[in-house]
Amino acid sequence: MCKGISILKARLKQELFDQYELEQRITSRGAGAQPELHFMYTDPVVQLPVIHDGQLVIYEWGNRGNKESKLPRTGWCRLESLKAGKWRWLSPEKIIIPANFGLEKSVWFQINEGMQGVVVHDEQERPHAYMLTQPASHYYQTMTRHERMPILIDQEI
């Protein structure tokens, strides 16, 4: 899978920083590196930047702990489940998760454009983003020791 992403700060508009208080997410890979923001599924506030209907916005990442909600209590959606119609009752819409790096089991891997996801709405019509996954390639599985991987846009690992 992918438990976190990183996106270059320059890709996000100032309005998003103001609206979602993203300053605490800013980090750097070292001297001379561009500032970036980390979004982890283990964060106290679980969020993901997504492109939905052509707009870059911040949505809640899946449904981690709300047992009252009808939404699946995870942050990922298996492509096979989506194709089998198991998510149809939620009327999922495709989204893009823009990212420059992904993180799985302490291994950062480069992402050229982003990854695929879906957005669904909870009982209060709030959007929740889920990362789409597929069986891992041999290289990804060797690199991360995980049998599932995100679906990258126009990129194979």
Side-chain angles (χ1 to χ4, degrees):
M1 280 196 282
C2 180
K3 301 257 175 142
I5 69 155
S6 177
I7 183 170
L8 293 178
K9 181 179 182 280
R11 294 178 71 178
L12 299 174
K13 295 179 180 177
Q14 186 60 43
E15 297 87 42
L16 290 176
F17 281 88
D18 299 338
Q19 184 177 356
Y20 293 99
E21 301 176 359
L22 300 178
E23 291 295 324
Q24 73 272 7
R25 294 184 181 274
I26 296 175
T27 187
S28 176
R29 292 188 185 269
Q34 294 184 49
E36 54 190 71
L37 284 77
H38 288 177
F39 294 86
M40 304 296 167
Y41 193 68
T42 55
D43 288 341
V45 177
V46 188
Q47 299 171 316
L48 270 179
V50 304
I51 299 174
H52 185 205
D53 292 333
Q55 300 291 319
L56 181 57
V57 294
I58 306 289
Y59 287 162
E60 186 172 339
W61 185 351
N63 176 25
R64 190 174 62 190
N66 185 356
K67 295 177 182 176
E68 306 295 319
S69 175
K70 65 180 180 178
L71 297 180
R73 277 184 264 154
T74 180
W76 301 268
C77 171
R78 290 175 174 249
L79 180 62
E80 303 92 312
S81 297
L82 189 67
K83 286 183 174 178
K86 294 180 179 178
W87 288 63
R88 188 175 306 136
W89 64 280
L90 292 166
S91 302
E93 300 172 53
K94 290 186 176 182
I95 56 171
I96 295 172
I97 301 167
N100 296 94
F101 294 94
L103 176 69
E104 178 58 45
K105 294 188 179 178
S106 303
V107 176
W108 284 99
F109 54 94
Q110 189 167 10
I111 298 173
N112 296 336
E113 289 188 38
M115 51 187 72
Q116 296 180 22
V118 294
V119 63
V120 298
H121 292 83
D122 65 16
E123 297 80 0
Q124 285 78 43
E125 294 302 316
R126 292 182 303 216
H128 294 254
Y130 289 80
M131 190 180 293
L132 273 177
T133 67
Q134 63 186 0
S137 66
H138 176 72
Y139 182 79
Y140 187 90
Q141 192 167 6
T142 300
M143 178 176 64
T144 65
R145 300 176 323 278
H146 203 288
E147 72 278 357
R148 306 246 356 136
M149 66 183 287
I151 300 175
L152 305 176
I153 297 171
D154 296 330
Q155 181 183 357
E156 292 184 25
I157 293 182

